[in-house]
């Protein structure tokens, strides 16, 4: 050991020296530097935290902005849809009005056509009567005078005999009455029918229709009841009975 | 050749022979470092851990060379 | 400032070149008119050399040695660093500047390393790591200063070189030289650095300073304290359970074979603690002593330029050895704080 230079006193000196140096280093270097490093680390961490908070706040603000934007968009789209709807409804109104107008025009046209037809049928009545009389004259000779014949025909077509509506019996109640005849009624006949129907059924208004398919007589509809006084109806009944 | 000269000769040769043992330590340190560097290349994240273990391994390998050095020094200076 | 920097550099470059040329001129007669001083092959002493023959406190064999002054120098350096760092930190600066800043950067790196290995024990382990690293670094690098290991007392009576009285700049001093060749004598400090250590017969120089890490007392003291502190920290962390590392009878009876192996491993651990002291001490000593000898030898073979390369190598080795010593201490301490439970499982 001596040859390697190791001797106990000097070794002890070295150990003591090392402990002194340890104390100095631990107290004056490691301590302050460690606390400084900690402080620095803390500062950095604080900075990071601040940055994080700031970025969070920014993210929040962005979110808020996005929300506001979305709200605005929703509002805008609502307004647009409302406007569209309103426009659509307005269009619909216009359309309905137009349709109503059209329907009215059509009705009017139909009424005109019907009136014209009635007129034509009315003109026809005289001719039919003349033809029928001529045919009957040929058949039965001159058994009937002309006046009588006309009355018969009138009865046939108008279902009105001696100023009375033939078919009208039983009780009717109704506000509106509709009278259908095969040929247009003369004004006098219409008045008679009207008067009768009004008296009998208590109806307030009477409308007249012309329908050649009933051949003759009258079909009177009061409220929901129908009195079939038509020739076609009678023929039908006859056919039923003959079965 | 007198005894003193022979002693010196023997010491020198002996010390030289003793240090042959450092060959193994050198090779060992080379192998350790090579492995550690490869490991660090493959997994750079673990570099710190690998480095610590590498230095430990080197220290153990080097210890053998240090024993050789001690023997050589003892031969040269003590006996 | 930015303009001055390159200027300084150019200046330094010429100084280095001039120093190299001067070395060549002085030692080799390179230009024909050189002084042709032959470099001296130094004699190597293993122990620290005593500077006086009077034992201190009358203790037998205890002299003031040149390594003692090396120790004092290293201590002074560390104390100055401590003072600088303390003052720098007290001044409230966030970042230290100058040498204190370098110390702080080094310590930060070391602390990160410690935290990676030791975890929560960093507070206890790190001061030892820092102390050992700083002290050894200071001791190693002090040995590289010019004049250390070359200027000292002349001991007549041993060595093989003659003594010559010199007069340089009005100062009287002596030097030794190889009188086997004829030469004019000159010795100023610089050439001594180039020539390496010169001590020898007829007369030998006992230098005033020698780096303390080339003294086994220092390295053994470090190693002893380090290994003892490893045990202390182990006890502190694990209590009496730490002893089971060395006397492991945990599985001795229930698993006879592995238990016996564990027991043997425990005893080997005890041996390895002792061998740790030895390897710690001789690793540092061997590296530094060999480095010093290397520089002597290189200086005596090629007295200029080439030693500078080896000085660089020694700068590197000195730092590496300081860090390795500290880091091994730290690693052993960290291992001592960990329970060796996983060690058992490896065998179980």
């Amino acid at each position: 050991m001596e040859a390697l230079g190791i001797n106990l006193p000097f070794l002890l000196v070295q150990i003591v020296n090392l402990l002194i140096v340890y104390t100095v280093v631990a107290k004056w270097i490691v301590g302050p530097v460690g606390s400084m490093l900690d402080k620095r680390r803390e500062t950095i961490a604080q900075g990071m935290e601040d940055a994080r908070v700031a970025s969070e706040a920014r993210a929040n603000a962005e979110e808020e902005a996005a929300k506001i934007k979305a709200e605005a968009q929703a509002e805008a789209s609502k307004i647009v849809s409302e406007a569209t709807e309103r426009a659509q409804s307005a269009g619909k109104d216009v359309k309905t009005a137009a349709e109503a107008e059209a329907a009215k025009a059509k009705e009017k046209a139909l009424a005109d056509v019907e009136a014209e037809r009635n007129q034509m049928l009315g003109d026809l009545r005289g001719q039919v009567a003349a033809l029928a009389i001529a045919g009957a004259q040929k058949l039965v000779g001159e058994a009937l005078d002309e006046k009588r014949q006309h009355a018969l025909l009138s009865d046939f077509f108008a279902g009105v005999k001696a100023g009375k509506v033939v078919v009208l019996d039983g009780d009717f109640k109704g506000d509106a009455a509709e009278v259908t005849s095969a040929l247009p009624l003369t004004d006098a006949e219409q008045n008679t029918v009207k008067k009768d129907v009004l008296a009998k059924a208590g109806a307030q208004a009477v409308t007249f229709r012309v329908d050649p398919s009933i051949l003759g007589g009258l079909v009177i509809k009061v409220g929901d009841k129908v009195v079939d006084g038509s020739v076609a109806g009678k023929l039908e009944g006859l056919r039923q009975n003959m079965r | 050749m007198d005894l003193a000269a022979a002693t010196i000769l023997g010491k020198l040769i002996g010390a030289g022979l003793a240090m042959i043992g450092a060959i193994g330590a050198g090779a060992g340190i080379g192998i350790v470092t090579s492995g550690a560097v490869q490991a660090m290349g493959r997994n750079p994240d673990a570099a710190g851990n690998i480095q610590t273990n590498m230095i430990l391994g080197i220290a153990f390998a080097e210890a053998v060379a240090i024993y050789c050095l001690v023997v050589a020094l003892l031969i040269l200076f003590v006996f | 400032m930015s303009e001055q920097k390159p200027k300084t550099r150019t200046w330094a470059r010429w100084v280095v070149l001039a120093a190299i040329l001067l070395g060549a001129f002085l030692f080799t007669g390179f230009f024909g008119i050189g002084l042709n001083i032959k470099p001296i092959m130094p004699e190597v002493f293993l122990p620290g050399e005593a500077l006086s023959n009077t034992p201190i406190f009358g203790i037998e064999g205890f002299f003031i040695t040149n390594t003692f002054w090396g120790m004092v120098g290293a201590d002074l350096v560390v104390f100055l660093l401590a003072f600088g760092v303390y003052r720098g930190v007290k001044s409230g600066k966030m970042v230290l500047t100058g040498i204190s800043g370098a110390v702080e950067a080094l310590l930060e790196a070391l602390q990160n390393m410690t935290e990676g290995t030791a975890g929560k024990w960093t507070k206890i382990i790190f001061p030892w790591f820092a102390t050992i690293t700083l002290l050894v670094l200071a001791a190693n690098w002090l040995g590289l200063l010019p004049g250390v290991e070359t200027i000292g007392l002349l001991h007549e009576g041993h060595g093989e070189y003659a003594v010559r009285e010199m007069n340089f700049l009005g100062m009287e001093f002596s030097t030794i030289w190889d009188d086997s060749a004829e030469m004019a004598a000159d010795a100023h400090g610089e050439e001594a650095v180039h020539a390496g250590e010169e001590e020898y017969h007829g007369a030998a120089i006992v230098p005033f300073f020698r780096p303390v890490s080339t003294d086994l007392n220092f390295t053994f003291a470090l190693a002893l304290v380090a290994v003892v502190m490893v045990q202390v920290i182990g006890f502190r962390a694990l209590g009496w359970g730490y002893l089971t590392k060395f006397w492991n009878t945990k599985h001795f009876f229930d698993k006879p074979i592995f238990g016996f192996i564990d027991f043997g491993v425990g005893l080997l651990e005890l041996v390895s603690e002792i061998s740790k002291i030895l390897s710690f001490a001789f690793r540092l000593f061997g590296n530094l002593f060999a480095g010093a000898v290397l520089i002597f030898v290189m200086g005596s073979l090629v007295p200029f330029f080439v030693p500078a390369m080896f000085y660089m190598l020694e700068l590197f080795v000195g730092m590496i050895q300081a860090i390795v010593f500290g880091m091994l201490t730290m690693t052993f301490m960290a291992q001592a704080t960990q329970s060796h439970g996983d060690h058992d499982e490896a065998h179980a």
Side-chain angles (χ1 to χ4, degrees), chain A residues 3-7 9-11 13-15 17-18 20-22 24-25 28-30 32-33 36-37 40-41 43, chain C residues 46-47 61-62 67 71 75 79 82 85 94 104 107 111 126-128 131 135 212 215 217-218 220-222 225:
Chain A
L4 287 175
I6 300 173
N7 64 23
F10 197 38
L11 190 65
V13 166
Q14 294 285 5
I15 290 175
N17 176 62
L18 180 63
I20 292 169
V21 172
Y22 168 77
V24 169
V25 168
W28 284 357
I29 297 187
V30 173
V33 168
M36 193 177 70
L37 288 180
R40 201 187 298 165
R41 220 174 277 175
T43 312
Chain C
L46 189 72
F62 183 33
T67 50
M71 179 194 89
D75 286 357
F79 290 167
V85 169
M94 208 59 186
E104 186 225 308
L107 288 188
Q111 191 173 18
F126 180 58
W128 288 103
T131 306
L135 184 61
V212 71
D215 188 332
N217 289 308
F218 174 69
F220 258 108
L222 274 180
V225 171

Side-chain angles (χ1 to χ4, degrees), chain A residues 167 214 216 218-220 226-234 236:
Chain A
V167 289
I214 68 168
L218 293 173
V219 176
I220 299 167
V226 175
V227 177
D228 193 354
S230 66
V231 176
K234 279 175 185 160
E236 184 65 25

Side-chain angles (χ1 to χ4, degrees), chain A residues 125 128-129 132 152-160 181-185 189 214-218 231:
Chain A
R125 184 173 164 168
V128 169
L152 270 175
L153 277 169
S154 289
D155 287 351
F156 176 74
F157 282 122
V160 179
S181 57
L183 289 173
L185 299 178
E189 284 165 357
I214 68 168
L215 299 177
L218 293 173
V231 176

